[in-house]
Amino acid sequence: MKLTKNKIIIIVLLILVGWLILSSMFIVNQEQQAVVLRFGQIRKVVTKPGINFKTPFVDNVVKFEKRLMLYDIEPERIITADKKTIVVDTYAIWRINDPKTFMESMRSVQLALTRIDDVVYSNVRDLVAKYTFEEVLSKKREEMLKEITERSSHNLKDFGIEIVDVRVKRTDLPPDISKAVYNRMMAERYSIAAQIRAEGQRESEIIKAEADKKVKIIISEAKKNAEVIKGTADASVITIYADAYNQSPEFFELRRLADIYNSSMENNILLLSPDSPILKFLYEEK
């Protein structure tokens, strides 16, 4: 079936109307906000999600994030109150809280990031310079970061930007200073270790001297007791020998002579004279 000229015109018109309607519509998602521009001038700001309309071919729609955004700031060298150079690595959590003001002042997110970098770094540098290195690493850092956040948010308020939070990822010493600090700390630890060893050696010498003193006292007491015991034993031996001698003087005389001759023997040969005293013990008198 051939289309008539009027039908073709109607179809074309319907297509054009549909295209114009679609061109006049734009959708804003829940995480977005939009600014409608006409020849560079702001005509409307849309912050609620849904379908919206604009003038086709005339209006231009620029969309921005409504959610929180994170900007990682490059690490920078900063001098603390105690004249120590540290490298501070920070990041900022921010959002566009006034799309109209943001569009009029910044025009783009990239330009906004440059401005955030300048403002946040400036406040970090100024406030860190008021604290010592130890304070930057202590609980006072929370107080410092809170003040940095408040100052940065105030400075960027006129640009439609809100700084929600500024955090420090890490705080380091520069490599050259870090090595020097490490060497100094190592030297201090070696000095402390040497001092502890010296004190331990001194205590060891004192304990050893006390032990040696006690050993000498114990040995002296033992020798003294041994001499007493030995003297008592010798006295007992003499008494026993005396009693035994009194009971049999001839036996002890024989024993004495035998010991004398035994010590004077050579090659198991003993030469005796006829009148030797020991001979009287070797025969019986008749």
Side-chain angles (χ1 to χ4, degrees):
M1 181 178 67
K2 293 183 178 181
L3 297 175
T4 63
K5 185 177 181 180
N6 291 334
K7 290 182 177 179
I8 293 174
I9 292 173
I10 291 171
I11 292 171
V12 172
L13 289 174
L14 289 173
I15 293 173
L16 288 174
V17 169
W19 181 69
L20 287 172
I21 292 173
L22 291 175
S23 298
S24 65
M25 295 171 56
F26 66 94
I27 299 173
V28 177
N29 296 329
Q30 189 173 4
E31 69 274 7
Q32 293 177 328
Q33 49 192 343
V35 176
V36 180
L37 301 174
R38 181 175 296 175
F39 305 116
Q41 300 297 319
I42 298 175
R43 302 296 298 176
K44 182 171 63 173
V45 175
V46 180
T47 58
K48 294 182 180 181
I51 299 175
N52 298 271
F53 295 91
K54 63 182 179 65
T55 302
F57 312 114
V58 178
D59 293 344
N60 182 34
V61 179
V62 179
K63 297 178 181 179
F64 299 111
E65 280 280 352
K66 186 189 290 186
R67 298 174 296 182
L68 295 176
M69 291 173 280
L70 185 145
Y71 177 57
D72 192 357
I73 302 170
E74 288 293 324
E76 295 287 349
R77 288 193 174 202
I78 300 174
I79 300 176
T80 60
D82 52 351
K83 306 303 180 184
K84 291 183 179 179
T85 302
I86 60 175
V87 177
V88 181
D89 190 358
T90 58
Y91 66 90
I93 300 174
W94 68 286
R95 65 184 171 194
I96 301 170
N97 64 344
D98 188 345
K100 183 175 181 297
T101 304
F102 182 83
M103 191 65 197
E104 291 173 345
S105 58
M106 294 287 98
R107 307 296 295 184
S108 69
V109 172
Q110 190 60 41
L111 186 60
L113 293 179
T114 303
R115 186 63 182 171
I116 291 172
D117 190 288
D118 293 339
V119 170
V120 174
Y121 169 68
S122 176
N123 288 322
V124 170
R125 181 193 59 207
D126 293 344
L127 286 172
V128 169
K130 296 180 180 180
Y131 292 84
T132 64
F133 178 66
E134 291 184 358
E135 289 174 338
V136 171
L137 300 179
S138 68
K139 292 182 179 180
K140 287 192 175 183
R141 179 164 66 177
E142 293 298 323
E143 176 185 336
M144 177 188 71
L145 292 175
K146 183 179 179 181
E147 189 172 354
I148 291 172
T149 301
E150 291 175 353
R151 283 194 184 187
S152 300
S153 188
H154 177 74
N155 294 338
L156 294 168
K157 182 179 179 181
D158 295 337
F159 300 96
I161 297 172
E162 178 188 2
I163 300 296
V164 178
D165 198 8
V166 176
R167 295 279 101 187
V168 175
K169 288 196 293 185
R170 71 178 190 275
T171 304
D172 295 328
L173 292 169
D176 51 342
I177 298 177
S178 180
K179 185 176 181 179
V181 171
Y182 172 78
N183 291 335
R184 187 177 72 250
M185 291 175 65
M186 186 169 64
E188 290 176 354
R189 295 299 181 274
Y190 278 134
S191 176
I192 293 172
Q195 182 180 355
I196 293 173
R197 282 197 297 268
E199 291 176 355
Q201 184 66 28
R202 186 172 66 251
E203 291 294 328
S204 173
E205 293 296 331
I206 292 173
I207 294 172
K208 185 178 179 181
E210 289 292 333
D212 290 342
K213 180 180 178 181
K214 289 181 180 180
V215 167
K216 289 179 180 179
I217 293 173
I218 292 171
I219 293 175
S220 177
E221 290 291 335
K223 286 182 177 179
K224 178 181 176 182
N225 294 334
E227 292 297 328
V228 171
I229 294 171
K230 184 178 179 182
T232 304
D234 289 344
S236 298
V237 168
I238 292 171
T239 302
I240 293 169
Y241 271 111
D243 292 341
Y245 180 79
N246 291 331
Q247 293 178 11
S248 181
E250 295 81 2
F251 172 77
F252 279 94
E253 180 65 18
L254 174 63
R255 177 66 183 271
R256 185 180 67 79
L257 293 173
D259 290 338
I260 293 172
Y261 287 119
N262 183 48
S263 61
S264 61
M265 288 178 61
E266 292 183 3
N267 299 323
N268 296 326
I269 298 174
L270 178 63
L271 298 177
L272 299 174
S273 63
D275 58 348
S276 175
I278 198 173
L279 293 178
K280 66 180 180 179
F281 297 103
L282 299 180
Y283 64 90
E284 295 181 357
E285 293 183 358
K286 294 182 179 179

